[in-house]
Structure formats: structure tokens, C-alpha cells
Amino acid sequence: MKALIYLGALLTLAGQPALLAQSNPLIFRGRVETDNRLLLRGENEWVWNENRLDLGIEKRANPLRIYGNIWLRHLGPSIVESSADLQDKGRINPIDADIRELYAEVYGFVFDELDLRIGRQRIAWGTADMFNPTDNLNPFDLEDILDFGRRMGSDAIDLQWHLSHQSSLQLVYIPRFQPASMPLGRFSDVLSVRAALPEVLAQAKYSDEIILPNNSLSRASSLGMRWRGFALNTDFSLSYTYSRDPLPLPAKVSIDIIYESDMAAGRPAVHATLIYPRHHIFGADLSGAIKRVGVWAEAALFLPESEIVAQVELPPHQLPFPVQGEEVVLKKQTYLKFIAGADYTTTGGSYINMQYLRGFIHERGREQLADYIFFQLNRHLFQNRLLIKPLSGGVSVSDRNSPFRNYSVFYAPEVSYLGVDNLDIGIGVYLFGGKGDGIFNNLKEMNMLRLRLTASF
Amino acid sequence: MRNTYSFKSSISPGSVFTVFAFLAVMCSLQEIMAQDAADVLRKMDDVVFAGEDQTSGIRLIMTDRSGNERVREAKVWQKGSNKRLFRFTSPAAEAGIAFLSLPDDVMYLYMPAYGRERRIATHVRNQSFAGTDFSYEDLEALRYSERFEASIAEEKDNHYILRLVPLPGTRSDYSEIIVTINREHYYPERMKSFDRGGQEYKIADYRFERKGDYWTTTEIRMTNLKRQHSTRMIFDDIEFDTGLDDDIFTVRNLTRY
């Protein structure tokens, strides 16, 4: 509802006579998408059902530009638990509205070389594909665990000073803190704090509470700056971000033994208090070419502002397993996440893309960082009517000392039909597996078939 | 030995002079012809890149071997002979995709869905641009005379026919181009390109019209002989010398969509 109010406000603003008087009309563009996935085992349970209207609205009245991007969605199955719920269409057809971006932009603000953008916006930093360790101003949007690169818009003030045609300085201020959204439905445990509990507590009853930073400038704001340049036929940038980690970390963990009526022995129960600590991030990225191969690299040095030590509160009676009274969750020491990649198109038209990543989005601290290799091979067939991705996936190794006992893989081939303009229909599978606790191995029960359609207008 | 003696004995100083004179004349003629070819190619470039700057709308009609058509529309800005910005306006799925070509083989692609520009490495140069029969190399705004060495393959009453081969150190996915140039006005009428293996690859047929002070392309029909697929690039709303600012040909402007 709130999104609809914003949408109305945007349309009203964009329809003002002063703006309409310009030669550029109000532009609507967007996409209708449906994305459905079902498990390849058992009764072929549906694990994802999303129908999305992705609507972009733009009005230009130079030097002003107003832009909004809103998703209206039907997401997930009916949430009906009693006959009373059948009177609530919101539970039968869960509808979700999401304001992705909503901002005004002025080109040549005060000075010709200065651009100003205010409002909810995506600030995309980095040069790699999907995995960008230096892209830390917008929080992760992890509701769809398979869409790793998705971020939410942030309410921000963004100033870009173009020092020359090939160099710019960007300053971003985000006054409010916004946490990352976490995976939905059957995927909800994949990145949760619960997944990081010791094995002895894996079956424990879990609950948590989140302590958000006080909603004030001093506690909740973030700052970023980036200098971009071009030298030796290579684009590069250096960046700095002072922000809060968008994924929560446990600051306190209470463990108890609960006794239920039908249980002879007690069952552990864990209650975690989660916080969003601050960190400094120093980033660098580059993109260019070596011979005919496109190359890019990106690195982010994270420095936690303070050490995070989870206080483990033990019950008065002795637990049947050892648990420390304190656990260091994140040391106050730097850790480096980085990615390096290359792409190449063969003379036959096959596109190959490979990336090596150190440190996935949810990994914190030197000890936790794992290694990943992602690969992709695309090829258009039948006069561009079909796009096949026969090799698309990734491999992770969570412990370099014993890689064959700590690896995980995913493989996601897909075929897309592109024979009609503005239409993209895809069918593919996601297969997961491995050994140990790699992220893709955690999804091994989720091998699935995906059917999707996108129609643009 | 005998043969050598016999050979030596058959050459008189006069005939040696005649041979050298003949070779000198041939070399000079070859140089003159090469010079002429280079001049013709430069004059063609002057026509193709006429004006300080140029703006136009473009309609791309792609036709497959079964005769099915797909249409793309775009807008193009060009300044001098080495800066070009190409931005799709339709269909909706591709609207906003933009391609910026700058000097020194620097090319950027902007995809609105990703919200950031991407440097294009040279491996993409021979690839189809957005499904058309034009490659990224075809859309670069670079003078042929600066990339190819020309020689006259044939002269006809109304046409020069030049053979172009890439200059040493030039990156091109064409091993050779045979270009037919209008003898009176120096605009290209046809370019037949050969791939690196020497096989016939593409044929581009040009239509030029007089617009004010300049001869300008109004249509290019590019046929990919391997794919049996063709694309007509039809130009409209052509404007010359409107004083396009250098700021248009920047990454800052590329991402403004």
C-alpha cells in the first residue's frame, strides 16, 4: 500500500505542468515476469512462485530527471490456516510491493561537472559479474538465494564530481541503516545465524531477537567515497566505505534445556541476540583487457570497528555437551575479500566467463573465507532464437587443507527462447551437492527445475 | 658452372640497365598506384566521416533466411572520426542498451538492467551487435585509411575497386575488404569482407544521398553470408554540424538513461 502511495506521489510529481511542458514525455517501461521452481525429488514441491510487475517510470526535464522503479508482486503460496483466512485475499494471494528506486537527479548541480542524486537508489560499485566485494552501500536483497547479486535501494544523497571525461569523484551519504533481507521459505536457513551454530546445537530449538542501531545519524548512517580513473587502457577505482554490516552477527547466545511433556530427556534451546556491527572497507577494482581477453579484478579490505564476542549464557544446570562461556564471532583484524575474472568470446560465438572469488557475501573474518570458482558458457543458436547455457555453475572449497572433504558445487544449465521480441522464456535446472559445510552443499536437498518468463514493455 | 657462364655471357650492360629501369618504373608505378589507392581511401573516409559531427535515428531491420523480420531502433551521435555513441530506443527489452566507441580501441557497453557500464574487450569486436549483422567493429567510428592498407584491385569507368588489408599492428577480424567506391563522389557502394581464414564473410551495400553540403549514408544493407541473415540499417533525421559537445561521448553520459 505504501508503495502505491509513493507511486501515486511520483506520478503526481512527474505530471506537474512545469515538467510536462518539456518536450520529453513521461516514460513507462518495465517487465512482467513469472518465476517458478519445483523440487526434483519427492512430490515435486513448489519452492518458488513469483509473479512480478517490474515498473519503471521516468520523467526528464533537463537538467532534472525523476525515476522510480517499483515491483508489484504475487510471491509464494496461499497462507491459509483457518477458514477465517479465506476471507482475506492477502492471505490467499500474498501481494508484495517493493520500492526499488525512487529518486530525483540533477545534472550539473551548481557546477557543470557536478551531478546530484537524492532518494532511494542503487549505487552499483565494482567491475565483477554478480559478486562485487566493493559494492557495500546497498544492503543485500537475499530473498531469492539464487539471485546472489541483487541489492535493495538505499535512501541516499549521491554527489558525483566529474574531474575529467575519464575521472570522477563520488561521495555518498546514507542517513539510515537498512538490514539485508534474508532468504525466503524453504531457503530461510541457508544463510541464517542458526546455520552457523555448533553441530551439537544443530537440532536445538532456535529463536533470536535483533537489535537495530538507534535510528540516528550518528548510529545509523553510512558514508562512501570512490575515485574512478583510467590509465594504461584500464578503468580503475579506489573506494572507501564506513557502514554497518548488513548481515547480523550474534552478540549474545543463551542456551537452555527445555523439557516437553512427551520427552524423557531435555532438548537444547538457543536464543541469540543479533547486532549489525560497523566496519571500514577499503576497495579497489579494475577492468581492462589482456590481448583479446576481457579481465577484471576487485578487492575489498574489511576492518571491523570492534571485536564481536558473543556472550554465551549457560543454564544453571550442566549441559550434556561442552560450550564455551565466550566466543569470538569476529576479530578486530582485517580480512580481504577479492574476485578476479576473465571473459572471452570465441570466433564461433560462444561466450566464456570465469571468476575466482575469495569470500562469499555471508563470510566474515579471515578464518571463515572460502574459495569459489564460477563459470559460464553461453551460446546463441538458430539465428539468436535460442540461448543455451550448457555450462553454468560454481565450485566452493571451504577448507583448503582438505578440499575433497569440504567442497560444494552447483550446476545450473538453462535454455532460453528469444524468438519473439521482448519475450524471454527459460527452462533450467539447479543441482547442488558436495561434502562438508559449503554453501551449495547446504542446498543439496533443493535440486530443482526452474521455469521463467519475462515480457518487456 | 657452364650454365652460369652462359648466363653471365648473355647479359650486356645495356640489358642490365633496361632491367633496372623497368623494375624502377614498375616500383614507381606500384608506389603511385598505392599512393592513389591510399588517396582514394582517404577521400572515401572524408565522405563517410563528413562534417564535424552527425546525429541520426536508425532503424535496423533484421531478416533471417526464412524472410522473418525483427526491427530495432536506435539513435546515433558521432563526432569526428573516432567518437560514436549508439543507444537503442526499441524494442522495450533492449531500450537503453548503449555502446560508446572512443579512440584507441576503447569501447563501453551500458546495460540499464545492471546499472553500470562495462568495458568491452577486443574479443567482442567480431561479435554481432545486439543480434544484428553488424559487429562491434563495424560500428566503431574509425577511419579505414588509418586501419587498412589499400591497393587498387580494379578500375572501372564509374568505380574504384580497392583491396584493403589491415595495417601491421591493427586489430581487425577481417583479413581483407574489397571496397567499391564511387569514382565521382568517393562514397562506398559495396564492401565485401573476408574472415581471418580468407573466406567471404559479409557484404555491405551502401546507399548515399546528398544532404546539404554532404553526401551521407541513408541505408546500409549488411548480409552475413555464413548466417544467411541480413540487416538493413536505415538512417533518418540526419543532422550535421550541430555542435555536439564532447561530454556526449563520455561514460557519464553513457549511463544516463
Side-chain angles (χ1 to χ4, degrees), chain A residues 29-31 58 60 65 107-108 112-115 122 124-129 132 135 162 165-166 228 230 233-235 287-289 291-296 343-347 349-351 353 383-385 418-422 456-457, chain B residues 62-66 68-72 83 91-95 102 104-106 108 113-128 130-132 171-173 196 227-229 245-247 249-252 255-257:
Chain A
R29 59 171 100 80
R31 304 190 292 184
E58 183 182 356
R60 288 184 185 216
R65 175 175 174 255
Y107 301 125
D112 286 346
E113 300 78 19
L114 196 63
D115 294 342
R122 174 78 176 97
W125 287 3
T127 50
D129 266 3
N132 298 101
D135 189 2
H162 298 273
H165 285 166
Q166 294 180 324
R228 301 179 65 185
F230 182 85
N233 211 17
T234 302
D235 290 280
S287 70
K291 299 283 185 183
R292 293 167 62 84
V293 178
V295 293
W296 57 87
D343 66 355
Y344 183 73
T345 310
T346 65
T347 47
S350 297
Y351 173 77
N353 179 320
Q383 316 252 0
N384 288 332
R385 286 194 178 85
L418 306 168
V420 176
D421 280 344
N422 298 319
S456 304
F457 58 88
Chain B
M62 295 180 277
T63 311
D64 67 16
R65 69 183 79 171
S66 309
N68 300 314
E69 288 191 347
R70 299 175 83 168
V71 180
R72 306 274 179 276
K83 290 179 178 176
E94 287 168 25
L102 295 173
D104 301 323
D105 272 344
V106 175
Y108 292 92
Y114 297 103
R116 66 182 115 196
E117 78 288 351
R118 178 83 186 267
R119 269 291 292 283
I120 303 177
T122 48
H123 65 86
V124 179
R125 289 165 58 97
N126 67 335
Q127 297 304 307
S128 154
T132 70
R171 292 172 183 162
S172 176
D173 277 287
R196 289 177 166 195
R227 290 174 66 203
Q228 293 182 290
H229 194 276
D245 199 306
D246 282 335
D247 285 349
F249 306 95
T250 59
V251 173
R252 178 190 189 190
T255 56
R256 277 184 194 174
Y257 175 70

Side-chain angles (χ1 to χ4, degrees), chain A residues 371 395-409 434-438:
Chain A
D371 299 299
V395 179
S396 81
V397 174
S398 51
D399 184 353
R400 287 176 177 177
N401 296 320
S402 54
F404 295 105
R405 277 184 291 174
N406 293 282
Y407 71 94
S408 67
V409 296
K435 282 185 179 174
D437 60 354

